[in-house]
Amino acid sequence: MSVMRLLPSLPGLSLLFALGCSSVGSSAVRTDGGFAGRHMGAVRVYAVVPPSGVRVIGLVEVHAVNEEANVETLMPVFMKRVADIGGTGGVIDDVQTHYEMRTEWRTEHYSYPCGYRSTCWSTRVVPYTYQIRMLRIMGRALLPIDAPGPPAMPPTAALPPATPATIAPPPPAKAPSENGGPQ
Amino acid sequence: MIRRALAVLAAVAVLAGCGSIRTYRFALDRPAGAMSPARPAVFLEGQLPSTNMRELAIVEAVGTGNKASAETVIGAMQDEATRWGASAIVRVKIDCAYSQCHGWGVAVQFVP
């Protein structure tokens, strides 16, 4: 089957995707190494100043394009993902807007004069370029500092200890020589 | 009859202009009780005021066509923040492109 025979069905496929698929995507990652149990209660969102007495347990990101790229659509998803990794609160760190130009091929029918008082019809595929807007909300999931879980540790203390096999034994201390050496 | 209807439709289209502005909001707290007669102040991202504040809502506006300007978008966000009784909008960020302009911010109420 040639590509030209497939092209007229692209608008239909696009419509199908537009009706059936959502552009909303999200990620939630627990970063403190704790148990990723889901929080079943309410989630509080802080957009300016996070409260005191909380610790960060993970990162959350949500995004969407065009009609779905708004806070009314994305914030409920953000709260759900915070709860998914066990957070009771979320703080919004950044809201980014990104624009992109997309080109897709569309089929159009056109007419042209042919012969004496005759009109012919034909079909052609033309490029159609449009702008899309992507909205991304980045944030962190929070938990009260006294909630059960691994203690919040500074990053330097969280480094894994080196295994003994990778550490060379220290050189044996030399005995000071009899005819000199550092005193 | 049809001509008259078309004329009315054309007039509506001209009056409406070739653009739109849409406003969105997400509640963070209850709205402040009293509406301030003054327009909410605008603080861009990184310019937090030095007073205590209560977060009321995230406000967002998207302008397209001839409404795709920072002026229109900030105005729409201020209108929305006024409905929440906000003293200011903080963390305001505006991103405009060829045919769209997007802005968001946090409507806050100053508390003593």
Side-chain angles (χ1 to χ4, degrees), chain B:
Chain B
M1 187 66 187
I2 293 176
R3 281 184 183 175
R4 185 172 294 174
L6 286 176
V8 169
L9 281 177
V12 167
V14 168
L15 287 175
C18 301
S20 66
I21 184 88
R22 293 194 66 177
T23 312
Y24 304 92
R25 75 289 303 159
F26 181 79
L28 300 173
D29 207 339
R30 285 187 300 251
M35 275 193 184
S36 169
R39 298 276 280 174
V42 174
F43 294 86
L44 297 178
E45 179 96 85
Q47 298 179 338
L48 278 182
S50 57
T51 58
N52 293 329
M53 59 187 107
R54 185 166 73 94
E55 300 174 15
L56 302 175
I58 299 173
V59 292
E60 181 187 32
V62 180
T64 59
N66 62 3
K67 303 272 176 59
S69 69
E71 180 184 350
T72 312
V73 166
I74 291 177
M77 290 166 60
Q78 284 180 308
D79 291 343
E80 182 63 31
T82 302
R83 293 189 198 103
W84 289 81
S87 319
I89 312 173
V90 301
R91 295 193 67 181
V92 170
K93 200 170 169 185
I94 308 290
D95 288 296
C96 295
Y98 172 65
S99 63
Q100 292 185 65
C101 200
H102 172 262
W104 87 286
V106 185
V108 298
Q109 180 192 24
F110 294 150
V111 291

Side-chain angles (χ1 to χ4, degrees), chain A residues 43-167:
Chain A
V43 171
R44 176 77 189 259
V45 175
Y46 304 90
V48 183
V49 183
S52 56
V54 295
R55 60 189 171 95
V56 176
I57 62 164
L59 304 175
V60 176
E61 181 266 348
V62 292
H63 63 265
V65 299
N66 288 345
E67 295 301 315
E68 292 178 306
N70 60 71
V71 292
E72 290 180 10
T73 303
L74 289 181
M75 283 311 296
V77 181
F78 181 87
M79 294 168 69
K80 178 185 176 300
R81 297 315 306 265
V82 166
D84 282 347
I85 58 173
T88 59
V91 59
I92 297 173
D93 290 321
D94 198 12
V95 176
Q96 300 169 355
T97 309
H98 176 68
Y99 296 96
E100 259 183 36
M101 299 303 286
R102 289 271 178 92
T103 300
E104 67 180 36
W105 297 88
R106 292 187 175 179
T107 305
E108 67 178 25
H109 303 283
Y110 67 100
S111 62
Y112 56 95
C114 55
Y116 181 69
R117 287 189 172 182
S118 296
T119 302
C120 294
W121 294 84
S122 187
T123 303
R124 62 189 171 197
V125 179
V126 294
Y128 176 74
T129 303
Y130 56 98
Q131 189 179 58
I132 64 164
R133 179 175 57 87
M134 173 182 272
L135 185 67
R136 171 177 286 122
I137 299 177
M138 303 282 296
R140 289 169 291 170
L142 308 173
L143 203 59
I145 206 157
D146 54 354
M153 289 187 292
T156 51
L159 289 173
T163 55
T166 60
I167 298 177

